[in-house]
Amino acid sequence: MLVYGRNVAKEILSGNKKINKITIIEDFSDKDILSLIEKRNIKPICLKKNEFSRFDKFSHQGIILDIEDFCYSDYTEFLNVENAKVVVLDHLEDPHNLGAIIRTCEAAGITGIIIPKDRSVEVNSTVMKTSAGAVENIKIAQVVNIANVLDELKDNGFWVVGTKMESDTDYRDIDYTGKVALVIGNEGNGMSNLVSKKCDYIAKIPMYGKVNSLNASVAAGIMIYEMISLDR
């Protein structure tokens, strides 16, 4: 996988992930990153500006890392964590939304994230860059069936909170103590009917202006910080 940008490069270089190749622009001058590269004992490939221009659409900031593919966690790691807070993404499609949600989850100290394997965005280079490297510091599980996993979470003491604009329950009126799995639905269609039926609560974020919905990553951020507020 190719990843682009200085923030994600710093996170990867500071960790233990295998790096196959590093490519930098000829006048690259970030001393912190260059020092990390030196510590990794990897000789970067240095390209002239006209050669590097073919990567311009990726907002590379002068550095590209060729790394091993992302390694997903097992969701069962979350089951026995005391007061675990898990975010479940029901078939998100936009990598920028996924990256932004990962960044928020990592900042908030969320236990882990669960995404489906099919019909959903995966952790790719855009997600890595949008998350500003946060993807390296949080566990993300990829599962075959979201509804079945929600059943297992509930069997292990989780309350499942979904999100839907049509709900009558204000998100601030829900008790988030203990183990909670927060479900964020697809950008266009929201949660599927089957996933909705698995929820113990369906929450809404009140809209006071003319806009009747929020971007998935913005809604997730509001819900995530409400969910963790009693634990902090």
Side-chain angles (χ1 to χ4, degrees):
M1 181 194 306
L2 296 181
V3 294
Y4 311 83
R6 299 189 183 190
N7 288 332
V8 67
K10 284 181 181 178
E11 288 295 331
I12 292 171
L13 286 164
S14 298
N16 299 314
K17 183 179 286 292
K18 181 182 177 182
I19 300 173
N20 301 317
K21 183 170 64 176
I22 300 173
T23 306
I24 59 175
I25 200 165
E26 61 181 344
D27 60 352
F28 190 79
S29 58
D30 190 310
K31 293 181 180 179
D32 291 337
I33 291 179
L34 291 173
S35 176
L36 289 170
I37 292 173
E38 186 177 355
K39 288 178 181 178
R40 281 292 202 109
N41 198 28
I42 300 173
K43 184 174 179 58
I45 298 169
C46 187
L47 296 181
K48 294 182 178 180
K49 290 183 180 180
N50 64 325
E51 296 175 304
F52 220 97
S53 63
R54 69 179 184 268
F55 302 114
D56 283 352
K57 65 180 179 179
F58 298 111
S59 300
H60 50 71
Q61 298 176 303
I63 184 166
I64 300 170
L65 271 59
D66 181 346
I67 63 173
E68 60 183 342
D69 288 341
F70 181 75
C71 183
Y72 291 95
S73 299
D74 188 330
Y75 74 92
T76 58
E77 295 179 40
F78 313 149
L79 297 180
N80 297 315
V81 177
E82 186 177 0
N83 297 323
K85 299 294 187 286
V86 174
V87 173
V88 181
L89 304 177
D90 187 10
H91 295 93
L92 258 63
E93 299 174 353
D94 187 339
H96 294 93
N97 277 335
L98 177 56
I101 290 172
I102 290 170
R103 187 171 183 175
T104 299
C105 286
E106 197 279 333
I110 293 300
T111 307
I113 300 169
I114 297 173
I115 63 174
K117 285 186 176 180
D118 299 321
R119 295 178 293 109
S120 175
V121 63
E122 297 182 320
V123 176
N124 57 28
S125 59
T126 302
V127 172
M128 296 277 284
K129 181 168 175 55
T130 306
S131 78
V135 70
E136 290 299 302
N137 301 311
I138 190 167
K139 293 181 178 180
I140 303 173
Q142 197 177 45
V143 301
V144 174
N145 190 300
I146 289 288
N148 288 347
V149 170
L150 290 177
D151 280 336
E152 190 168 355
L153 290 173
K154 293 170 74 169
D155 289 343
N156 283 271
F158 281 79
W159 293 99
V160 178
V161 179
T163 50
K164 187 179 291 186
M165 293 307 303
E166 297 78 15
S167 173
D168 294 326
T169 304
D170 190 301
Y171 77 104
R172 293 163 293 192
D173 294 334
I174 295 173
D175 184 356
Y176 298 96
T177 55
K179 295 180 179 180
V180 181
L182 171 66
V183 184
I184 303 295
N186 171 272
E187 293 92 343
N189 302 315
M191 294 186 298
S192 69
N193 289 331
L194 182 57
V195 168
S196 294
K197 291 176 182 177
K198 302 294 182 181
C199 295
D200 299 298
Y201 301 97
I202 303 288
K204 72 171 181 180
I205 300 172
M207 300 285 108
Y208 301 112
K210 294 182 180 180
V211 174
N212 62 2
S213 64
L214 293 172
N215 173 275
S217 64
V218 174
I222 293 170
M223 294 293 299
I224 287 166
Y225 271 89
E226 182 67 20
M227 179 172 65
I228 69 167
S229 62
L230 294 178
D231 292 337
R232 298 295 187 268

